[in-house]
Amino acid sequence: MSSAHALPRSERLRSLGAVRRVFESGESGFVFPFRYVWYAEPDAAPSVEVLFSVPKRFHKRANRRNLLRRRTKEAYRLHKQLVGTGGRALNVDLALIYSSKEVHSYKTVERAVRRILEAIDARL
């Protein structure tokens, strides 16, 4: 696997404070089937951290939630270079929340993730 397409633990949004900051003061949007919330912190070490969520409210069975989370992670991993900070010193935190009751194909998930990353990059 190429290191450019890896998704190491350091690129995952894990700290409770960072997650709280994203949801309290971040900007949000919707691209079917995802709701996304992101927060860009200027003058910080340039990095992008991401959180993936598939609510139990929509998908009761864990195997479905895992399948959708894996599809989302794979799509993000392959397209994460789209939200590169472009030399700007920005710390971008992103939460992707799968908000559909149906299980959609990888192609649909990939297209949505790509559109989300392009929208965030355009706003930066």
Side-chain angles (χ1 to χ4, degrees), residues 2-124:
S2 169
S3 63
H5 290 299
L7 188 59
R9 188 171 177 152
S10 62
E11 292 181 14
R12 306 234 178 109
L13 188 59
R14 298 186 321 275
S15 80
L16 187 61
V19 172
R20 187 174 289 135
R21 184 180 61 223
V22 167
F23 285 103
E24 286 178 355
S25 51
E27 298 180 42
S28 66
F30 185 82
V31 173
F32 182 81
F34 290 99
R35 186 170 84 83
Y36 64 96
V37 184
W38 64 282
Y39 177 79
E41 183 178 349
D43 303 325
S47 69
V48 179
E49 293 183 3
V50 66
L51 170 131
F52 304 97
S53 175
V54 181
K56 195 174 189 179
R57 183 173 116 193
F58 295 134
H59 299 281
K60 302 292 185 205
R61 299 184 63 102
N63 61 349
R64 280 209 179 146
R65 290 195 304 273
N66 291 338
L67 170 74
L68 293 169
R69 197 174 304 114
R70 278 195 308 266
R71 286 181 180 172
T72 307
K73 282 181 181 179
E74 181 69 4
Y76 174 79
R77 186 182 69 77
L78 294 175
H79 296 289
K80 68 181 181 177
Q81 73 278 1
L82 293 175
V83 76
T85 54
R88 298 179 295 263
L90 289 173
N91 178 15
V92 179
D93 296 336
L94 168 66
L96 294 171
I97 303 127
Y98 192 91
S99 300
S100 174
K101 291 185 178 186
E102 291 85 35
V103 176
H104 293 283
S105 68
Y106 172 73
K107 194 172 189 176
T108 304
V109 170
E110 181 185 25
R111 196 174 304 127
V113 169
R114 189 176 343 112
R115 286 180 52 205
I116 289 169
L117 296 177
E118 289 169 350
I120 290 172
D121 191 51
R123 294 287 307 274
L124 291 177

